[in-house]
Each structure stands twice: as C-alpha cells, then as structure tokens.
Amino acid sequence: MNIPLFERLHQEGLIADPSLQKVKQRAGSRLFSVHWELKTILYLGILLLTGGLGILIYKNIDTIGHQVILAVIGLICISSFVYCERKKLPFATTRVPAPNSFFDYILLLGCLTLITFITYLQVQYTVFGTAYGLATFIPMVILFFCAYYFDHLGILSMAITNLAAWMGIAITPLNILKANDFANAEIIFAGLLLGVALTAIAWASERRNIKAHFEFTYVNFGINILFIACLAGMFHFDSFYPLWLLPLAGAVFYFYKKALSTRLFYFVLLITLYGYIGLSYVLIRFLLWATHELDGIFLILMYFIGSATGIIVFLSRMNKKMK
C-alpha cells in the first residue's frame, strides 16, 4: 500500500484525518505471505521422511525383514500415485497447475519411494543381474512419464539426473566405472552428447509448445553438462586441446544468443565463466610454451589481473543491458 500517496492526499485536504489513520492501521496489520516458507518445510519434510526410512531400515534390517520393508515402501509408493491420479487435473501440453497445496509433495514422495524400491530390489535381490543400465533405465522412463503426465519440474530434474546416470552406465565399460575413472574419454563424449541432446529437447519443447515451461530445466542441465564436457575434453586430450575450443566457442555463441533472446543474465554468467576457463587454459599453455618461464609467469599474472577486471566490467554492462 502506497502510504506516501495517502499522506500527500491528506496534506492537500482530499482525505480526512480518520481516513488516513485507518489506511495506516490497515497497512500495518495486513497479512504477509508464508508461501515459500511452507513449501520449504514440506520439501524438507519429504526428504527427512525418506531419509528416516532409510536409516530405520539400515538399523533394523535383521529384525524387520526384507519382504516387510519392500511391502511398506511399495505401499507408500502406490498410495502416493493413486492419490495423485485421483486429484490431478486433465493433461495438457501447456502448464497445468497443481490441484492443491499437497499434490506436488505427495508426487515427490511417490517418485522417491519408487526409486528406493527399485534400488532395494537390485541391491538385495539383483533382479536385473549385472544389467545396471536397466536398473537406471526403468526408473528414468517412469520419472519422465510422471514429470509430463503430472506436470512437475522437480520430477523432471530427477528424470534428467537419471538419464545422465543411465548414459554413463550404458556407454561406459564396467571396468571404468569400477575403477572410478571419470576422466575417461567415454564419459567425456557421453557428457558432450547428453548436453547437446538436452539443449535440442529444450529447443523442441519451446518451438512445439509441448510443456514449454520445461525448457529452462532442460537448458540449465544441458548448458552445464555441455561446457563441463568441453572443458574435460580439453584437459584430457592434452595433445589436441586447441580443437576443443571449437565446440566450446559454438556453445558460447549459441547460449549467448539465447541469453539475449530470453534476457536471462544467468546464461551470460555461465558462458562467461566457462568460456573464461577454456580460453585461459589455452592462453596459459601457449605463454608457457612460447616464453621464458619467469616471463611467462609474469605475463600470466598480468593476464589474470586484466581479464578479471574485464570480466567484471563486461558482466556489469550485460546486467544493465538485460534489465
């Protein structure tokens, strides 16, 4: 409520003293929203519940029994999905709001317990054998279906994370996973492919208007995975590191154009940081190769001082331009 406006009207004699006092009293006693506080508490409650179930199972596994544990987890999962199915609004390719305040959290509980159920089956009974890709592929498909069917951004993030895990397992040989060799070429190219795929899905979602509000989630995952894969390729393939500037520069150009079209400073910040890391790596390697050691170190120090100043000025101007 614009109190200065009412005070100016009072000074001009347009409203009386009692009216001004009532306005001030109303402004001072108005309700304030606790929407985000309640959402945070509910999300934490779901996470604490699933975490508590895990601790309870771990400490009492011998006395409770695997079948009872699986039955309880399955019952919670099925009950959550039955509730969501009964309460959900009709499906549409556009944004569909939640029917009530608890719908999103019940759906989140159902998906978390579903993943717990499948993981428990695999760990305890190895129902998928050594086909670890299948153990991640099935929940990934279910999560993507739930994200679109119930229109839930949180479930979509879980599905994309599962997609990344499935691609890492499916493309990478098992001996590399066992050795925790995450700098391997297969992992890098899988990340590059995944980043491009997520960016393409985001473009198609917005272009075809199929859950267009999912676009930012896809792009957010895609831009980070794509740039990290490019930088990892630059560091891993030491002999051909300048070649990785090509996909890095292409990604910077694409997301810069996207940042301008969507007016999101977040994308500008990401491409600046990732691009700066890649360019600095190449430049430092060149300076150390082309100059004397002490001269190279001096030039590198001067570069970091100058480039840091330049980045601050650039980001400040871009922030003003976005606004």
Side-chain angles (χ1 to χ4, degrees):
M1 191 175 294
N2 194 347
I3 299 299
L5 174 62
F6 286 99
E7 290 177 343
R8 188 168 68 250
L9 293 174
H10 175 261
Q11 292 174 358
E12 295 175 358
L14 298 177
I15 60 175
D17 292 339
S19 299
L20 179 62
Q21 294 302 321
K22 288 181 179 178
V23 169
K24 289 184 176 180
Q25 183 180 6
R26 180 68 179 273
S29 60
R30 66 173 183 235
L31 299 175
F32 63 95
S33 174
V34 293
H35 172 76
W36 291 108
E37 288 83 354
L38 289 175
K39 285 179 73 72
T40 303
I41 291 172
L42 287 171
Y43 272 118
L44 287 175
I46 295 297
L47 294 176
L48 289 174
L49 175 61
T50 52
L53 286 174
I55 295 173
L56 178 65
I57 292 170
Y58 176 77
K59 289 187 174 181
N60 301 277
I61 188 67
D62 295 330
T63 57
I64 297 177
H66 298 296
Q67 290 79 10
V68 175
I69 293 172
L70 281 172
V72 172
I73 296 174
L75 182 62
I76 295 174
C77 179
I78 293 173
S79 301
S80 300
F81 281 118
V82 168
Y83 172 85
C84 293
E85 174 62 25
R86 291 181 176 179
K87 296 294 183 179
K88 75 174 185 67
L89 298 177
F91 175 80
T93 56
T94 56
R95 184 191 297 271
V96 178
N100 55 58
S101 302
F102 299 99
F103 181 85
D104 287 343
Y105 309 100
I106 300 298
L107 179 60
L108 180 63
L109 177 62
C111 290
L112 287 173
T113 50
L114 171 67
I115 295 175
T116 304
F117 185 84
I118 295 176
T119 305
Y120 199 111
L121 284 176
Q122 175 62 17
V123 172
Q124 185 59 38
Y125 297 104
T126 60
V127 292
F128 302 107
T130 58
Y132 299 111
L134 189 61
T136 55
F137 180 80
I138 293 176
M140 177 195 72
V141 172
I142 298 175
L143 289 173
F144 269 114
F145 173 79
C146 291
Y148 279 86
Y149 186 67
F150 295 108
D151 200 327
H152 197 289
L153 286 171
I155 305 302
L156 179 64
S157 299
M158 293 171 58
I160 295 174
T161 304
N162 237 273
L163 173 61
W166 173 75
M167 285 191 65
I169 293 173
I171 295 177
T172 306
L174 187 59
N175 60 334
I176 294 177
L177 287 178
K178 289 181 178 179
N180 292 323
D181 185 14
F182 295 107
N184 192 274
E186 283 84 356
I187 293 288
I188 295 172
F189 285 111
L192 193 65
L193 177 62
L194 179 60
V196 173
L198 291 176
T199 304
I201 294 173
W203 176 83
S205 298
E206 193 272 337
R207 192 70 176 265
R208 299 292 183 179
N209 196 26
I210 301 175
K211 298 297 183 183
H213 57 290
F214 283 2
E215 182 201 11
F216 177 80
T217 302
Y218 280 115
V219 174
N220 190 33
F221 277 94
I223 187 174
N224 285 284
I225 294 173
L226 182 58
F227 276 117
I228 290 173
C230 289
L231 292 177
M234 186 179 296
F235 302 151
H236 179 73
F237 298 98
D238 190 70
S239 301
F240 306 98
Y241 68 91
L243 295 178
W244 285 87
L245 279 177
L246 296 177
L248 186 67
V252 168
F253 176 77
Y254 174 81
F255 287 110
Y256 177 75
K257 300 292 288 186
K258 187 168 187 62
L260 293 180
S261 63
T262 57
R263 305 188 69 82
L264 285 176
F265 180 73
Y266 172 71
F267 290 150
V268 176
L269 180 62
L270 287 181
I271 63 176
T272 302
L273 294 178
Y274 285 123
Y276 178 70
I277 293 173
L279 184 61
S280 298
Y281 179 77
V282 174
L283 184 60
I284 290 171
R285 290 287 300 264
F286 175 77
L287 289 175
L288 292 177
W289 171 78
T291 62
H292 188 268
E293 183 177 354
L294 292 178
D295 294 336
I297 293 175
F298 174 76
L299 291 174
I300 290 170
L301 291 176
M302 296 303 298
Y303 162 75
F304 278 120
I305 294 173
S307 60
T309 305
I311 286 177
I312 293 173
V313 173
F314 171 75
L315 290 177
S316 299
R317 291 183 177 178
M318 287 302 299
N319 188 31
K320 293 179 181 178
K321 183 178 180 179
M322 293 294 181
K323 291 181 179 179

